[in-house]
Amino acid sequence: PGVYTECGSTKEFKGIGQYQLDNAANMDKLLSLAVDNDMYINVTLFNQWSFGANFGKNAYNKEVEGGMCTYSGSTTDFWTHPVAMKYQQQLIRYYEARYTAYRSFAIFEWWNEVDSHASSPTELGTIKWLKTMDDYFNSINTNEVITSNSFAWKDHESGNNPWKNYPMIDCAQPHIYIARGTDPVDSWISIVNNIREVYAGPIFFGEYSEDGAEHFDEKILNDVPGSS
């Protein structure tokens, strides 16, 4: 299930609340394969690319059959519309019932880079939405999957770090792309220290790379003590 078609996929769009079962079955295959190979997956519910230029393919779009949400600039009522929230919780229940029993379903991320493309009119709207969805999931979370969320850039600096508002989330998930030639370990430490000023839970780097690097993975491995 998903909210929009990505990368030119030709799967038929059936409207809000009607899941593509062939695509859902592919998720079963992926999670099963991950179990067989002792891999763990961060599963993302929504992402910023469902908005912006892709909003025309978003199942929540008011102009699409069954949709109810509007989007202007980078602001949307996706976060507060009561009917939209009903469908969001329905989707969460579907994920919980169908997928979370897989050992490989390690983290449930509510939003990929929540501060990009799809803002609530106020940050309080985002905080309330995340707490509402997190509370709902935990009320049915029989397999004790941990929850997460990510930001594109707001959690990179100390001071007004957004993680102070999300103690309900089990695991902070920073995303960072550093300038070429920057020491990666120093960058990790800086980000962790900034988040730790306001957030006490675990921290997991969901995305990390060096812009334009051709041999970045080798460089990282060589810089980690005890690696070979």
Side-chain angles (χ1 to χ4, degrees):
V3 297
Y4 79 109
T5 303
E6 186 177 9
C7 297
S9 171
T10 57
K11 291 184 182 296
E12 180 183 359
F13 173 74
K14 297 180 179 179
I16 188 76
Q18 301 183 56
Y19 306 144
Q20 298 171 349
L21 297 184
D22 55 343
N23 201 29
N26 287 336
M27 186 68 165
D28 281 305
K29 294 176 183 177
L30 176 65
L31 290 165
S32 179
L33 183 63
V35 170
D36 293 342
N37 289 275
D38 292 323
M39 298 176 67
Y40 298 89
I41 297 177
N42 174 79
V43 178
T44 304
L45 187 66
F46 296 112
N47 73 81
Q48 80 278 27
W49 301 116
S50 303
F51 293 84
N54 290 308
F55 191 63
K57 297 182 287 185
N58 190 319
Y60 289 87
N61 187 339
K62 189 175 182 179
E63 303 303 319
V64 176
E65 184 177 356
M68 70 296 294
C69 294
T70 59
Y71 179 77
S72 177
S74 62
T75 301
T76 175
D77 58 352
F78 174 91
W79 305 96
T80 56
H81 197 293
V83 178
M85 294 180 74
K86 173 186 172 184
Y87 280 109
Q88 294 155 12
Q89 290 181 334
Q90 177 180 303
L91 182 59
I92 289 170
R93 185 172 185 84
Y94 187 89
Y95 270 75
E96 195 284 330
R98 181 160 185 165
Y99 299 127
T100 62
Y102 288 100
R103 177 168 51 85
S104 55
F105 195 122
I107 300 174
F108 204 0
E109 180 187 6
W110 298 131
W111 262 94
N112 178 69
E113 301 188 352
V114 71
D115 52 340
S116 178
H117 292 298
S119 303
S120 171
T122 67
E123 188 175 12
L124 289 176
T126 307
I127 296 168
K128 183 177 180 181
W129 184 91
L130 282 164
K131 186 176 189 318
T132 298
M133 298 303 155
D134 200 75
D135 286 348
Y136 174 72
F137 177 65
N138 284 321
S139 74
I140 58 173
N141 185 12
T142 56
N143 294 295
E144 299 183 344
V145 172
I146 64 174
T147 62
S148 185
N149 198 58
S150 65
F151 296 89
W153 55 273
K154 284 188 176 179
D155 57 355
H156 292 185
E157 299 178 357
S158 61
N160 190 31
N161 195 301
W163 279 107
K164 66 184 179 182
N165 299 314
Y166 301 98
M168 77 291 288
I169 302 298
D170 295 324
C171 176
Q173 185 181 149
H175 293 178
I176 182 170
Y177 294 83
I178 63 173
R180 194 167 188 175
T182 303
D183 185 278
V185 177
D186 285 348
S187 298
W188 291 343
I189 292 172
S190 176
I191 293 294
V192 168
N193 286 341
N194 292 337
I195 295 175
R196 188 59 71 222
E197 290 177 358
V198 295
Y199 179 82
I203 299 171
F204 162 71
F205 280 88
E207 295 181 19
Y208 194 96
S209 186
E210 183 180 79
D211 292 337
E214 297 178 359
H215 306 289
F216 183 62
D217 291 341
E218 180 180 350
K219 180 178 186 296
I220 288 292
L221 288 175
N222 289 336
D223 284 348
V224 176
S227 65
S228 60

